[in-house]
Amino acid sequence: MNHEDLLTVVHQNLCACALDLNLNKNIEALLKLPRRELHVSIPVMMDDGRIKTFQGFRVQYNSARGPTKGGIRFHPAEIVNTIRGLAAIMTWKCALHDLPLGGAKGGVICNPKEMSKKELEKLSRAYIRAVADFIGPGRDIPAPDVYTNEQVMAWMMDEYSIITGRASFGVVTGKPIALGGSEGRHDATARGGWMAICEAAAQTGMELAGATVAIQGYGNVGYNAALCGHELYGSKVVAVSDSKGAVYQPEGLDPRAVMAHKTTAGTVAGFAGAAGITNEELLELDVDILIPAALENVITLDNADRIQARIIAEFANGPTTKDADAILGPKGIHIIPDFLCNGGGVIVSYFEMVQNFNMDHWPEEEVYRRLDAKMTAAYRQVFEATKKYDVGMRQAAYSVAVERVVTAMMDRGWI
Ligand code: NAD
């Protein structure tokens, strides 16, 4: 993983947008720092009887618009500045999609791939015990992110309920359906991203049926992105990858068959009938749509001039550095920026919170209908802002989102 500092990238984008909005320097400085963060050491007894101490974080970036919201990552190469940057992006994302929420993010430095299920459960429960006073419904609500999933959320909700002595379903989102999870949450990020791609395709005159797509990452977001593109829009998924390699098939891959292979082989690499390529080569393929759906800072100064896609749909958070942006824009590549493109996850997480508060359960069609309305509205507001401020999609998205956060801070009397 390239660990160019995500917080620095966020600051650069904020500065560019701050000029658009004529923000004064005091406001800009306030927006560059998290309001609160907690660092914890988490001792866990491993299966062999050793006690291993993990480092964890929870960063609450800005709560002006409501309780903070954001995922928890389990990753061996986690650093706190990545978590801070991701918490900032969550702040802009919730504001851009007009959710009554602020932004947060959490992480634990660990390698889930080398841990047993029992060890993972102990770590998940111990993390929640360590941050229990810091989070909670109405305060800060975590969700899944890289290498965490609905099982991890179920353990965390259960542990928090034990601590508080009541069924606290609303403490996390992305839970299994049986525990207050929402219909449509499992593929909300990918489905929402494709709703944004639909708008971009209409704008750029691209026909989605038969359009070629390359996807980096084949986890929750990447796999569902492949499925949605293939099954809902008739696009041709020609390349996919994961941390162990990438495969390319110009005739188009069957996403379900690739997942079946990954389930047994542990990677998409080696899928029968497809050529093996590297993750770097995947990003540079001549395709209509490139979907980074893995980690941050993968499109950089080093490869931006070799990117050939017509649309880059940022399903991952922070995949493009500021330097790369400056190269992609003049090439005429249409970028759907991360916190616009991947907002579907937090939108349906918010729907999950609303259902939990009301002890309600909406049908899948209702969830997707509301998701489409939110995604389409946000896309169009950003597009309008490109014209109003005469800037690209990313600066426009920052401008809309940051203006909303600043308005809330002013209304509260913080500034
Ligand atoms: P995941 O853990 O389910 O999947 C991550 C995938 O990335 C895996 O297939 C992994 O093998 C792959 N990967 C890791 N390192 C890689 C590398 N160096 N090269 C290529 N592939 C690599 O995580 P996810 O939930 O799918 O999240 C993916 C991205 O989407 C992250 O940036 C995350 O922040 C963002 N995101 C996720 C959600 C959500 O709802 N899960 C919502 C918004 C944004």
Side-chain angles (χ1 to χ4, degrees):
M1 174 164 51
N2 178 350
H3 260 318
E4 189 174 319
D5 194 327
L6 184 64
L7 189 62
T8 306
V9 178
V10 168
H11 284 172
Q12 288 164 343
N13 283 316
L14 185 62
C15 290
C17 115
L19 297 175
D20 289 333
L21 296 171
N22 295 316
L23 294 185
N24 75 41
K25 287 287 161 200
N26 297 336
I27 300 176
E28 191 186 303
L30 187 59
L31 289 172
K32 282 183 166 178
L33 289 173
R35 294 301 305 269
R36 308 204 302 164
E37 60 184 51
L38 184 63
H39 294 215
V40 292
S41 299
I42 312 164
V44 174
M45 185 182 284
M46 307 302 276
D47 292 347
D48 63 5
R50 275 180 316 130
I51 302 280
K52 194 165 172 187
T53 301
F54 295 90
Q55 296 305 307
F57 316 99
R58 185 71 189 169
V59 176
Q60 296 168 359
Y61 201 84
N62 188 296
S63 59
R65 287 177 50 88
T68 52
K69 180 102 191 76
I72 298 172
R73 288 183 164 199
F74 284 177
H75 200 282
E78 206 54 86
I79 57 169
V80 70
N81 259 6
T82 306
I83 299 295
R84 290 180 181 130
L86 292 165
I89 291 173
M90 282 306 298
T91 306
W92 322 138
K93 194 184 300 187
C94 291
L96 181 66
H97 292 280
D98 209 9
L99 306 175
L101 298 168
K105 205 81 181 186
V108 178
I109 305 170
C110 66
N111 190 350
K113 291 179 182 173
E114 292 174 356
M115 295 168 72
S116 70
K117 190 173 178 192
K118 198 73 216 156
E119 289 169 341
L120 207 53
E121 176 176 352
K122 283 188 195 168
L123 176 62
S124 304
R125 290 183 183 276
Y127 175 79
I128 282 299
R129 285 197 298 277
V131 302
D133 287 345
F134 199 61
I135 62 163
R139 186 184 284 170
D140 179 15
I141 306 101
D145 200 273
V146 173
Y147 299 155
T148 54
N149 54 24
E150 62 176 34
Q151 175 61 78
V152 171
M153 293 304 114
W155 290 325
M156 289 182 169
M157 184 281 286
D158 185 65
E159 191 65 26
Y160 190 81
S161 297
I162 293 168
I163 293 167
T164 56
R166 62 177 73 99
S168 300
F169 283 19
V171 68
V172 292
T173 59
K175 301 179 293 292
I177 297 283
L179 297 177
S182 177
E183 301 292 341
R185 176 63 182 87
H186 69 289
D187 69 351
T189 305
R191 211 174 252 261
W194 273 96
M195 290 164 181
I197 291 175
C198 247
E199 289 289 308
Q203 229 171 49
T204 55
M206 183 188 289
E207 182 62 54
L208 286 183
T212 52
V213 187
I215 302 175
Q216 184 190 48
Y218 215 58
N220 174 297
V221 177
Y223 171 54
N224 284 303
L227 269 188
C228 286
H230 181 73
E231 295 182 358
L232 301 181
Y233 296 93
S235 298
K236 201 172 1 164
V237 179
V238 296
V240 299
S241 73
D242 58 28
S243 60
K244 295 183 181 148
V247 287
Y248 175 54
Q249 167 54 269
E251 303 312 314
L253 296 157
D254 172 354
R256 289 183 193 273
V258 176
M259 183 47 92
H261 168 79
K262 183 175 164 72
T263 305
T264 50
T267 169
V268 298
F271 179 67
I277 57 171
T278 63
N279 259 293
E280 290 71 29
E281 286 167 335
L282 177 142
L283 294 171
E284 297 166 16
L285 286 174
D286 183 5
V287 288
D288 294 312
I289 303 165
L290 173 63
I291 300 183
L295 297 170
E296 52 284 344
N297 298 334
V298 293
I299 302 174
T300 66
L301 200 53
D302 295 338
N303 61 3
D305 60 341
R306 294 193 299 278
I307 304 284
Q308 303 184 67
R310 289 166 63 201
I311 293 176
I312 299 177
E314 295 182 340
F315 284 45
N317 283 309
T320 310
T321 65
K322 190 84 186 130
D323 294 340
D325 251 348
I327 296 170
L328 300 171
K331 284 177 70 158
I333 298 176
H334 185 90
I335 299 176
I336 313 175
D338 51 5
F339 63 91
L340 168 61
C341 195
N342 67 26
V346 72
I347 290 170
V348 176
S349 273
Y350 164 69
F351 295 162
E352 185 174 326
M353 288 171 65
V354 173
Q355 292 169 78
N356 290 161
F357 280 133
N358 295 319
M359 301 196 84
D360 199 357
H361 191 77
W362 302 345
E364 192 180 72
E365 319 78 79
E366 176 70 6
V367 172
Y368 289 148
R369 187 187 61 76
R370 289 177 185 248
L371 173 63
D372 198 359
K374 280 260 174 223
M375 288 301 302
T376 307
Y379 188 97
R380 292 180 185 172
Q381 283 157 7
V382 171
F383 186 62
E384 282 307 307
T386 62
K387 293 187 269 181
K388 179 175 170 191
Y389 298 115
D390 191 23
V391 293
M393 289 288 283
R394 191 181 315 279
Q395 264 178 289
Y398 262 85
S399 302
V400 173
V402 171
E403 191 170 34
R404 287 179 184 167
V405 175
V406 169
T407 300
M409 292 200 300
M410 284 175 154
D411 288 348
R412 278 176 178 255
W414 290 1
I415 49 177

